[in-house]
Amino acid sequence: MIKENFIKLYETNFRESWDLPSLSDYGTDTTFRFGEVAYEIARLHLLFEQCRVGRGDKIALAGKDCARWCIAYMATVTYGAVIVPILQDFNPNDIHHIINHSDSSLLFVSDRIWDSLEDEKIPGIRKAFSLTDFRCIYQSGGEDEDLSSDAIDALVTGRYPGGFTKDDIRYADVDNSELVEINYTSGTTGFSKGVMLTGNNLAGNVTYAKTLNLMFSGDRELCFLPLAHAYSCAFNLLTPMAVGAHVHILGRLPSPKILVKAFAEVRPNLIITVPLILEKIYKNVILPQLSKRSMKLALSIPLLAEYIYSQINRKLTETMGGCFCEVIVGGAAMSQEVTDFMCRIKFPVTIGYGMTECAPLISYSNHRVFEPASCGHVLKDIMNVRIDSEDPYSEVGEIQVRGENVMRGYYKNDEATRDAFTEDGWLRTGDLGMIDAEKRIYIRGRCKTLILSSNGQNIYPEELESKLNNMPFVMESLVNMKGDKLVAWVYPDYNAVDDTLVSPSDLPVIMEQNRINVNKQLAPYEHISKIELYPTEFEKTPKKSIKRYLYQTL
């Protein structure tokens, strides 16, 4: 059991960081200092009392990332209730289902999402509150409490007649073994399940992050990943809130143009991202320059190559704000070509590994010791990993884990919980990989996406797609078995087509050349027999991973 109590982490830090900025909605004048966050939490605790919320009751949270989203989350867990964050990209039917399945009785929601919901389809919700200003926007029949701002202000005055101070911060005594969050996954291979996370699971991630000396009191962080996802929540919210860092919440689609502007203005001290961001920079900005004949010639001269790489590093660092100590990539696998290049130019990047069921971290290494083909070392003293193979150092097998970060199970789904664990209590990750003597993890693919060739060879489609995605005019790809042949579906990069003299009618010829070139990088049994153009982008999870199960019958 983790020694530090999850809830008390915030009780302590809110007092120590009282005057420091805590949460800002990027592009607006909205900023909350830690003392103001603590005050808003106190108001919501009184609101919960008025709503007769009990210990362990479920409170759903669905909306665009913003400072009040964070405050609603923190208020719920510090009260002793269970938070149910819902990704804003879920469609209304999925949101209805999650609210009902989780037994949520209160709902904090963005106005836009609320307009898309039907209250008769979420009968368990007694009250709903807007994330714009926490006003009550719905009460079910028979619920008639006065929950206006004036009424809550009066309750605050009555509870804290001398004004709310840091000494008034008192949060629920919640043992780390208790349920704190139910996080509904949105995976690439199947139906969403409610992951039950305890205080210990979350504390394991936060306390480990604090030991890394990457984030400090007063630091700036830019949050552009969905907070309802475990990866972003742990390191864009829970860790900054525990150390006194200032989180600037982007709150909009992180297009390259918007991100570059935000990086320049916020100048974050640590960057938490997904592979897609760096892969787009590499493919759209760096690779075209490296492909020029003059550049290839220059890079063949060692001293000149070293200078060019240092200049690329400098420009990329400036583009991302220039103040960060490290860029941590997680949420999905990053192209090996991009990883190798970033390490070649000595860019401070590292790749971690985790899953919602571990809240989420399993492995991580500082960029100074990061091995480019790996996804870091298993978390020392927190997590254990084994490979389900006869020789975990050379033979691929399922990665199985146990330790402080591992979930309690799936909410109201005993069958799925049993299937998730081995008979001796190890969590099946569903990922295939190996480990080395220093406990670094090397991932090869997903168990459910592994393709067995006609001659018995294992094929990992993600590895083929990674290579194909770096070919000209390829936006994204999906490799699957059709009969006994490997076929790749490609959604073309039409922006690149428009920026050149290439005609869309030329794409089949270009893709055939891409097929020939990518096959030169592959073993014979991995050769792609055909590339077919796909008319639209593939449907993705919020982490931007393709929902592969939707395309198994193509």
Side-chain angles (χ1 to χ4, degrees):
M1 184 74 71
I2 298 296
K3 292 181 180 179
E4 291 191 66
N5 180 269
F6 175 64
I7 303 302
K8 298 305 178 182
L9 283 170
Y10 304 103
E11 185 176 288
T12 300
N13 186 60
F14 287 173
R15 292 185 188 130
E16 294 176 349
S17 304
W18 182 265
D19 292 320
L20 294 177
S22 174
L23 299 168
S24 291
D25 288 325
Y26 174 76
T28 75
D29 295 329
T30 301
T31 292
F32 293 87
R33 294 186 176 275
F34 277 92
E36 293 168 325
V37 169
Y39 172 76
E40 292 293 330
I41 288 174
R43 289 185 89 255
L44 289 180
H45 284 181
L46 291 172
L47 176 70
F48 294 160
E49 289 179 13
Q50 286 295 101
C51 295
R52 305 180 306 282
V53 174
R55 181 79 165 257
D57 284 354
K58 318 301 188 303
I59 297 178
L61 174 56
K64 184 184 77 170
D65 292 349
C66 62
R68 284 187 171 82
W69 190 103
C70 300
I71 291 169
Y73 182 107
M74 299 305 302
T76 299
V77 299
T78 55
Y79 183 81
V82 176
I83 192 70
V84 183
I86 302 173
L87 288 155
Q88 64 166 330
D89 294 331
F90 281 165
N91 65 50
N93 287 334
D94 288 336
I95 296 176
H96 291 146
H97 165 73
I98 291 171
I99 289 172
N100 293 331
H101 186 268
S102 65
D103 302 310
S104 293
S105 57
L106 263 59
L107 171 65
F108 286 89
V109 62
S110 293
D111 295 342
R112 178 187 63 81
I113 292 179
W114 178 248
D115 289 341
S116 72
L117 301 181
E118 300 175 52
D119 55 79
E120 65 271 16
K121 291 186 177 181
I122 43 175
I125 292 296
R126 298 190 289 110
K127 304 177 194 300
F129 302 92
S130 169
L131 284 174
T132 301
D133 52 13
F134 291 146
R135 73 186 187 282
C136 183
I137 55 177
Y138 169 78
Q139 293 198 68
S140 64
E143 302 275 338
D144 58 358
E145 291 88 355
D146 183 359
L147 301 175
S148 65
S149 180
D150 289 343
I152 302 303
D153 285 343
L155 291 174
V156 172
T157 301
R159 181 69 60 88
Y160 309 105
F164 184 80
T165 70
K166 64 177 69 176
D167 294 329
D168 293 312
I169 299 175
R170 294 283 188 277
Y171 294 149
D173 291 322
V174 178
D175 189 82
N176 272 0
S177 63
E178 293 186 42
L179 181 65
V180 170
E181 177 177 345
I182 304 175
N183 193 306
Y184 282 79
T185 63
S186 178
T188 61
T189 57
F191 184 71
S192 178
K193 300 184 287 289
V195 177
M196 293 190 289
L197 300 174
T198 65
N200 199 67
N201 301 149
L202 299 175
N205 280 270
V206 174
T207 57
Y208 178 80
K210 288 175 65 178
T211 69
L212 300 177
N213 294 322
L214 294 173
M215 192 184 300
F216 303 95
S217 177
D219 274 0
R220 301 174 304 278
E221 189 172 0
L222 178 65
C223 172
F224 51 89
L225 304 178
L227 283 165
H229 191 272
Y231 172 43
S232 183
C233 188
F235 307 116
N236 281 326
L237 174 61
L238 297 180
T239 301
M241 281 284 187
V243 302
H246 181 190
V247 181
H248 297 257
I249 304 165
L250 189 64
R252 64 187 79 172
L253 188 69
S255 68
K257 183 178 180 180
I258 289 174
L259 268 184
V260 168
K261 183 174 184 290
F263 280 139
E265 293 177 357
V266 175
R267 302 179 73 208
N269 299 106
L270 178 68
I271 295 177
I272 308 294
T273 188
V274 289
L276 186 64
I277 303 298
L278 291 180
E279 289 173 347
K280 280 190 173 183
I281 292 172
Y282 174 76
K283 181 178 179 180
N284 298 332
V285 180
I286 297 174
L287 196 56
Q289 296 298 318
L290 297 179
S291 300
K292 292 180 179 179
R293 184 177 179 183
S294 59
M295 182 65 78
K296 289 182 178 179
L297 180 61
L299 290 174
S300 67
I301 305 171
L303 288 178
L304 193 52
E306 185 177 346
Y307 172 76
I308 292 170
Y309 288 146
S310 69
Q311 290 299 104
I312 295 174
N313 187 340
R314 181 181 63 81
K315 290 180 180 179
L316 182 55
T317 299
E318 289 175 355
T319 298
M320 301 180 77
C323 290
F324 57 90
C325 61
E326 186 169 87
V327 176
I328 301 176
V329 177
M334 189 158 81
S335 160
Q336 192 60 48
E337 180 179 341
V338 177
T339 304
D340 291 342
F341 179 80
M342 293 297 170
C343 292
R344 189 178 307 130
I345 66 173
K346 299 179 181 179
F347 189 69
V349 66
T350 188
I351 299 173
Y353 169 55
M355 58 192 303
T356 303
E357 287 83 349
C358 292
L361 204 55
I362 295 171
S363 65
Y364 160 87
S365 290
N366 184 278
H367 72 273
R368 293 182 180 86
V369 296
F370 171 63
E371 181 69 32
S374 77
C375 52
H377 295 86
V378 178
L379 304 191
K380 186 178 180 181
D381 299 326
I382 291 180
M383 296 293 286
N384 292 309
V385 169
R386 73 181 185 187
I387 306 297
D388 187 21
S389 69
E390 292 185 2
D391 183 358
Y393 302 108
S394 62
E395 183 180 324
V396 172
E398 184 184 35
I399 301 168
Q400 299 176 353
V401 302
R402 68 180 180 188
E404 303 293 349
N405 294 356
V406 176
M407 68 169 181
R408 178 184 292 178
Y410 296 113
Y411 189 61
K412 295 196 301 189
N413 196 336
D414 293 340
E415 181 179 357
T417 299
R418 284 193 299 271
D419 291 343
F421 290 89
T422 64
E423 290 186 3
D424 56 347
W426 291 74
L427 176 67
R428 305 177 190 271
T429 67
D431 292 314
L432 295 169
M434 298 181 292
I435 56 174
D436 64 18
E438 296 183 18
K439 294 292 184 180
R440 291 188 186 92
I441 298 177
Y442 298 81
I443 296 177
R444 296 296 304 276
R446 293 282 296 168
C447 293
K448 292 183 180 180
T449 63
L450 174 67
I451 296 172
L452 191 66
S453 72
S454 57
N455 61 357
Q457 296 278 10
N458 289 339
I459 299 172
Y460 305 96
E462 297 91 346
E463 294 183 355
L464 279 60
E465 292 156 6
S466 175
K467 297 180 186 298
L468 192 54
N469 289 346
N470 284 322
M471 292 290 165
F473 304 103
V474 176
M475 176 62 74
E476 58 185 5
S477 63
L478 186 66
V479 173
N480 217 331
M481 187 68 80
K482 203 170 187 179
D484 60 350
K485 301 288 186 181
L486 282 176
V487 174
W489 292 281
V490 167
Y491 174 64
D493 186 346
Y494 287 110
N495 287 332
V497 171
D498 292 340
D499 290 341
T500 65
L501 298 178
V502 172
S503 167
S505 62
D506 296 328
L507 285 173
V509 175
I510 293 172
M511 292 304 159
E512 174 60 17
Q513 188 59 51
N514 284 342
R515 185 189 71 83
I516 293 170
N517 291 338
V518 81
N519 280 347
K520 292 177 181 178
Q521 305 175 37
L522 303 173
Y525 65 85
E526 296 177 307
H527 280 184
I528 295 169
S529 66
K530 185 179 181 181
I531 290 181
E532 298 178 356
L533 297 180
Y534 198 74
T536 62
E537 290 189 44
F538 299 109
E539 189 170 338
K540 302 177 188 68
T541 71
K543 293 188 302 179
K544 302 306 179 185
S545 299
I546 295 172
K547 293 184 176 180
R548 311 182 73 94
Y549 65 94
L550 297 177
Y551 303 96
Q552 295 301 311
T553 58
L554 285 179

